[in-house]
Amino acid sequence: MISKLPRWVEYGSFLLALVAGLVNAIGLLGFKHQSISHLSGTATLLGVGVVDSTFAEVFHLFTILVSFLIGAAISGYFLRTGALKLGLNYSKLLCLEALFLLTAVYFLSNDSLLGHYLASTACGLQNALATTFSGAIIRTTHVTGIFTDLGIMLGAKFRGESFDKRKALLFMLIILGFILGGSLGAFFFVILKFQALYIPALICLLLALSYSIYNTKYGRASSEKLNG
């Protein structure tokens, strides 16, 4: 599947992982030390909270999970294919992700939990977007699966099987993007607090613009070729 994806997917995946790392770092520093871009820790906290936390805290954690699910459902509704295809709603979804993040800044700056939910929705939307266009191979909001896949590839290599260098490069770029995003998120949170979310929102808008330009140029050429 990776070999069928265009080369720019590597750069897009790196930038999306950077966005997720930024959002997650800001979440860890500002959202009651909760992860936002992935839900394993949040689900564990929910399970623990059922036993020893208040109803309000349990409800908050539950809503974080539901918000991520809603974001993924939005992508699932607009992207009705499991393969990358020019002309689909990637730009619109990236703009919507940016809108969620920008709106989250307002509510977080006013101590509203709605900001947490909007940020989680943005991450769910992004992760589903990347999952859909890659055929469930690429995840950009967490790296557990990426490390697992790399380990499987290394094990197969040691067994004598071929090693997909492009796939490994893509995974390494996602890991690097996520870590770098975490560093940038921590740095800018100290300076800007929740307004640091403007940075991942801007990256999403730039990605949307870049994809729109690419789609206009190459999508039209592809259509003319088919019609010709």
Short mmCIF file of all heavy atoms in Angstrom, two decimals, residues 55-80:
data_model
loop_
_atom_site.label_atom_id
_atom_site.label_comp_id
_atom_site.label_asym_id
_atom_site.label_seq_id
_atom_site.Cartn_x
_atom_site.Cartn_y
_atom_site.Cartn_z
N PHE A 55 -18.00 11.99 39.85
CA PHE A 55 -18.78 11.82 38.62
C PHE A 55 -18.36 12.86 37.58
O PHE A 55 -18.28 12.54 36.39
CB PHE A 55 -20.28 11.97 38.93
CG PHE A 55 -21.13 11.97 37.69
CD1 PHE A 55 -21.45 10.78 37.05
CD2 PHE A 55 -21.59 13.17 37.14
CE1 PHE A 55 -22.22 10.78 35.89
CE2 PHE A 55 -22.36 13.18 35.99
CZ PHE A 55 -22.67 11.98 35.37
N ALA A 56 -18.09 14.09 38.01
CA ALA A 56 -17.71 15.15 37.07
C ALA A 56 -16.41 14.80 36.35
O ALA A 56 -16.29 15.01 35.14
CB ALA A 56 -17.55 16.48 37.82
N GLU A 57 -15.45 14.25 37.05
CA GLU A 57 -14.18 13.88 36.44
C GLU A 57 -14.36 12.71 35.47
O GLU A 57 -13.79 12.70 34.37
CB GLU A 57 -13.16 13.50 37.52
CG GLU A 57 -11.77 13.18 37.00
CD GLU A 57 -11.08 14.36 36.36
OE1 GLU A 57 -11.44 15.51 36.67
OE2 GLU A 57 -10.18 14.13 35.52
N VAL A 58 -15.16 11.72 35.87
CA VAL A 58 -15.43 10.58 34.99
C VAL A 58 -16.15 11.05 33.73
O VAL A 58 -15.83 10.62 32.62
CB VAL A 58 -16.27 9.52 35.74
CG1 VAL A 58 -16.77 8.45 34.77
CG2 VAL A 58 -15.43 8.88 36.84
N PHE A 59 -17.12 11.92 33.89
CA PHE A 59 -17.86 12.44 32.74
C PHE A 59 -16.94 13.21 31.80
O PHE A 59 -17.06 13.11 30.57
CB PHE A 59 -19.00 13.34 33.22
CG PHE A 59 -19.83 13.89 32.09
CD1 PHE A 59 -20.77 13.09 31.45
CD2 PHE A 59 -19.66 15.21 31.66
CE1 PHE A 59 -21.52 13.60 30.40
CE2 PHE A 59 -20.41 15.72 30.62
CZ PHE A 59 -21.35 14.92 29.97
N HIS A 60 -16.03 13.98 32.37
CA HIS A 60 -15.07 14.74 31.57
C HIS A 60 -14.21 13.80 30.72
O HIS A 60 -14.04 14.00 29.51
CB HIS A 60 -14.18 15.58 32.47
CG HIS A 60 -13.00 16.19 31.77
ND1 HIS A 60 -13.11 17.14 30.78
CD2 HIS A 60 -11.67 15.96 31.91
CE1 HIS A 60 -11.92 17.48 30.34
NE2 HIS A 60 -11.02 16.77 31.01
N LEU A 61 -13.67 12.76 31.33
CA LEU A 61 -12.83 11.81 30.60
C LEU A 61 -13.64 11.08 29.53
O LEU A 61 -13.15 10.86 28.41
CB LEU A 61 -12.22 10.80 31.58
CG LEU A 61 -11.20 11.38 32.57
CD1 LEU A 61 -10.87 10.35 33.65
CD2 LEU A 61 -9.93 11.81 31.84
N PHE A 62 -14.85 10.71 29.87
CA PHE A 62 -15.73 10.05 28.90
C PHE A 62 -15.99 10.96 27.70
O PHE A 62 -15.99 10.52 26.54
CB PHE A 62 -17.05 9.66 29.57
CG PHE A 62 -18.06 9.08 28.62
CD1 PHE A 62 -17.93 7.78 28.15
CD2 PHE A 62 -19.14 9.85 28.19
CE1 PHE A 62 -18.87 7.24 27.27
CE2 PHE A 62 -20.07 9.33 27.31
CZ PHE A 62 -19.93 8.02 26.85
N THR A 63 -16.19 12.24 27.95
CA THR A 63 -16.47 13.18 26.87
C THR A 63 -15.25 13.41 25.99
O THR A 63 -15.38 13.63 24.78
CB THR A 63 -16.96 14.53 27.45
OG1 THR A 63 -18.03 14.29 28.37
CG2 THR A 63 -17.45 15.46 26.35
N ILE A 64 -14.06 13.32 26.56
CA ILE A 64 -12.83 13.38 25.76
C ILE A 64 -12.82 12.24 24.74
O ILE A 64 -12.54 12.43 23.55
CB ILE A 64 -11.57 13.30 26.65
CG1 ILE A 64 -11.40 14.59 27.47
CG2 ILE A 64 -10.33 13.04 25.81
CD1 ILE A 64 -10.90 15.77 26.69
N LEU A 65 -13.16 11.05 25.20
CA LEU A 65 -13.20 9.88 24.31
C LEU A 65 -14.25 10.05 23.22
O LEU A 65 -14.00 9.79 22.04
CB LEU A 65 -13.50 8.61 25.11
CG LEU A 65 -12.51 8.22 26.21
CD1 LEU A 65 -12.99 6.94 26.90
CD2 LEU A 65 -11.12 8.00 25.64
N VAL A 66 -15.43 10.51 23.62
CA VAL A 66 -16.52 10.69 22.65
C VAL A 66 -16.15 11.78 21.64
O VAL A 66 -16.47 11.66 20.45
CB VAL A 66 -17.82 11.04 23.38
CG1 VAL A 66 -18.91 11.42 22.38
CG2 VAL A 66 -18.28 9.86 24.23
N SER A 67 -15.47 12.82 22.08
CA SER A 67 -15.09 13.90 21.18
C SER A 67 -14.14 13.41 20.10
O SER A 67 -14.27 13.77 18.92
CB SER A 67 -14.42 15.03 21.98
OG SER A 67 -15.31 15.59 22.91
N PHE A 68 -13.17 12.58 20.49
CA PHE A 68 -12.25 11.98 19.51
C PHE A 68 -13.04 11.14 18.51
O PHE A 68 -12.79 11.20 17.30
CB PHE A 68 -11.22 11.12 20.24
CG PHE A 68 -10.05 10.69 19.40
CD1 PHE A 68 -8.85 11.38 19.45
CD2 PHE A 68 -10.13 9.58 18.58
CE1 PHE A 68 -7.76 10.99 18.69
CE2 PHE A 68 -9.06 9.17 17.81
CZ PHE A 68 -7.86 9.88 17.87
N LEU A 69 -13.99 10.37 19.02
CA LEU A 69 -14.82 9.53 18.16
C LEU A 69 -15.62 10.38 17.18
O LEU A 69 -15.74 10.04 15.99
CB LEU A 69 -15.77 8.70 19.03
CG LEU A 69 -16.76 7.79 18.29
CD1 LEU A 69 -16.01 6.71 17.52
CD2 LEU A 69 -17.73 7.16 19.29
N ILE A 70 -16.15 11.50 17.64
CA ILE A 70 -16.92 12.39 16.76
C ILE A 70 -16.04 12.94 15.65
O ILE A 70 -16.45 12.98 14.48
CB ILE A 70 -17.55 13.54 17.57
CG1 ILE A 70 -18.66 13.01 18.48
CG2 ILE A 70 -18.09 14.63 16.64
CD1 ILE A 70 -19.21 14.03 19.45
N GLY A 71 -14.81 13.33 15.99
CA GLY A 71 -13.88 13.82 14.97
C GLY A 71 -13.60 12.76 13.92
O GLY A 71 -13.59 13.05 12.71
N ALA A 72 -13.39 11.53 14.36
CA ALA A 72 -13.14 10.44 13.41
C ALA A 72 -14.38 10.19 12.54
O ALA A 72 -14.26 9.90 11.34
CB ALA A 72 -12.77 9.16 14.17
N ALA A 73 -15.56 10.30 13.15
CA ALA A 73 -16.80 10.09 12.40
C ALA A 73 -16.98 11.15 11.32
O ALA A 73 -17.48 10.86 10.22
CB ALA A 73 -17.99 10.10 13.35
N ILE A 74 -16.55 12.38 11.60
CA ILE A 74 -16.64 13.44 10.61
C ILE A 74 -15.81 13.09 9.39
O ILE A 74 -16.25 13.22 8.24
CB ILE A 74 -16.20 14.79 11.21
CG1 ILE A 74 -17.22 15.25 12.26
CG2 ILE A 74 -16.06 15.85 10.11
CD1 ILE A 74 -16.78 16.46 13.06
N SER A 75 -14.57 12.65 9.62
CA SER A 75 -13.72 12.23 8.50
C SER A 75 -14.33 11.05 7.77
O SER A 75 -14.34 10.99 6.54
CB SER A 75 -12.31 11.85 9.01
OG SER A 75 -11.53 12.99 9.23
N GLY A 76 -14.85 10.09 8.54
CA GLY A 76 -15.44 8.92 7.92
C GLY A 76 -16.63 9.25 7.03
O GLY A 76 -16.87 8.59 6.03
N TYR A 77 -17.36 10.29 7.40
CA TYR A 77 -18.52 10.69 6.61
C TYR A 77 -18.11 11.31 5.28
O TYR A 77 -18.68 11.01 4.23
CB TYR A 77 -19.37 11.69 7.40
CG TYR A 77 -20.58 12.19 6.63
CD1 TYR A 77 -21.74 11.42 6.56
CD2 TYR A 77 -20.55 13.41 5.96
CE1 TYR A 77 -22.85 11.87 5.85
CE2 TYR A 77 -21.64 13.86 5.25
CZ TYR A 77 -22.79 13.09 5.19
OH TYR A 77 -23.87 13.53 4.47
N PHE A 78 -17.09 12.16 5.31
CA PHE A 78 -16.70 12.89 4.11
C PHE A 78 -15.72 12.13 3.21
O PHE A 78 -15.62 12.42 2.02
CB PHE A 78 -16.09 14.25 4.48
CG PHE A 78 -17.10 15.24 4.97
CD1 PHE A 78 -17.20 15.53 6.32
CD2 PHE A 78 -17.97 15.86 4.09
CE1 PHE A 78 -18.14 16.45 6.78
CE2 PHE A 78 -18.92 16.77 4.53
CZ PHE A 78 -19.00 17.06 5.88
N LEU A 79 -14.98 11.19 3.77
CA LEU A 79 -14.03 10.40 2.97
C LEU A 79 -14.58 9.01 2.80
O LEU A 79 -14.45 8.16 3.67
CB LEU A 79 -12.66 10.37 3.66
CG LEU A 79 -12.00 11.72 3.89
CD1 LEU A 79 -10.68 11.53 4.61
CD2 LEU A 79 -11.79 12.46 2.58
N ARG A 80 -15.18 8.76 1.64
CA ARG A 80 -15.89 7.50 1.44
C ARG A 80 -15.07 6.50 0.65
O ARG A 80 -15.59 5.71 -0.12
CB ARG A 80 -17.20 7.78 0.70
CG ARG A 80 -18.08 8.78 1.41
CD ARG A 80 -19.35 9.06 0.68
NE ARG A 80 -20.14 10.10 1.32
CZ ARG A 80 -21.32 10.51 0.92
NH1 ARG A 80 -21.87 9.97 -0.15
NH2 ARG A 80 -21.96 11.47 1.57
#
